[in-house]
Amino acid sequence: MDASTANYCAALEAAAGGAANLASETGSKAFRRFTASQIWKIMDRDPAAFAETERVSLISAFVVSVFLQNYAPEDSSDASGTNLIDLRSDPPQWSTKMLAIVSPKLREKLCAAPVDSFVLLGNIGEYFQRRYGFSSSCRLVAGAGDNPCSAAGMLMRENVDLCVSLGTSDTAFMLSSTATPRADVGSVYRNPLKRLSYMPMVVYTNGSLTRESARDYDGKARSWNEFEDLVNSVPKGNNGIVGFYLPRPEIAPETNGDVNRYFDESGKSVEESDLSLGSRCRAALEMRALAIRYHTTCLGMSKPVRIVATGGGSSSPSMIQVLADVLQCPVYVSPTVNSASLGAAYRAFHAVQCEAAEEGFVDFSASISSKKDIESDRVLEASPDSRSKATYDSLYSNYIRCERLVLEDQLG
């Protein structure tokens, strides 16, 4: 991940009146990979290149521009990852405040304003009609990013479904009717499927590779079946032990890496050497589920009715059961492969229906339900164990306290 914009992120936050003000305006504190800090870096290091730049475009809009043979605007969900959008504007708009902070010349290099994700932008260009035989009536919908399209592909319901992606990095997000951006955790994006709705999201760096590292911590290479046995050798709640095994720099909680801390139920530190390998493995799973419960609550997400799990980690019965128990809701696994690509197709169908509707919008789920049984792809993999609720409620409270201790250590 590009870390070359750290100084520009600090400058953005300072100019915006602090990280909290920036998050309230745009949905996120300044992130190093986001567009605003990247643009500022180019302006500072190569001002001639910026001066000669005619158009600044996100990749999703650039691809559509190629097919449109004209500049395409950004969609509001992808534009939410720039630190440049006015998160709550209707219709979507760039933030006048942030454009002025980055550069007075920036507005003329952007599209006039982002558009709703379900807007049709025009017909495919004549070149593609001649060269590849596309119909002249082929329409183009605003391009969006992978997570917004995955939300569409998994047919997520607002304030109902929590998507948990368990891969090299872990991600948790929900479609939400409210936005509660914070500077200390996560981001809030615009919902790609509905006006004035949002998609709060938390991303974790320490995903599957960290769980693999916990599995093989003593230097012995093990199978995932052995990992499952180790986790299940320890009771739910890990005898009150809360772990923070974060060998890589983490986003939430924000750490510099190489964190390996364990606490007992009173919040006192526990020596790692006093723990079994099974306890460390269970701690790695429960850490993730507890973090998701805490951080999604911080971002204002409602308690999910169900969890939809994806990614390689969703094949772990222990991980799925821990999620169900900690969040006390059923976990479903979607068998859909390439949900982002499928979601892009759903979005195109939805956009056509929206354009034809008298009000200019139709409900996404109702739109897709007319062609597909939305529930048919859901596979129930784990139900919450009500007997573990008190155990995990207590562990959750201790997790919050201990996360603060870890953050205090990071601050020195």
Side-chain angles (χ1 to χ4, degrees), residues 5-16 18-19 30 37 40:
T5 60
N7 293 338
Y8 304 101
C9 287
L12 272 175
E13 291 178 350
S37 58
W40 200 332

Side-chain angles (χ1 to χ4, degrees), residues 346-379:
Y346 285 163
R347 287 183 51 249
F349 178 76
H350 179 230
V352 171
Q353 292 201 314
C354 286
E355 186 182 58
E358 184 176 344
E359 301 82 6
F361 180 78
V362 294
D363 178 75
F364 179 80
S365 294
S367 168
I368 303 304
S369 294
S370 67
K371 296 293 183 182
K372 178 181 176 64
D373 177 4
I374 285 182
E375 299 302 315
S376 64
D377 285 343
R378 301 286 195 262
V379 179

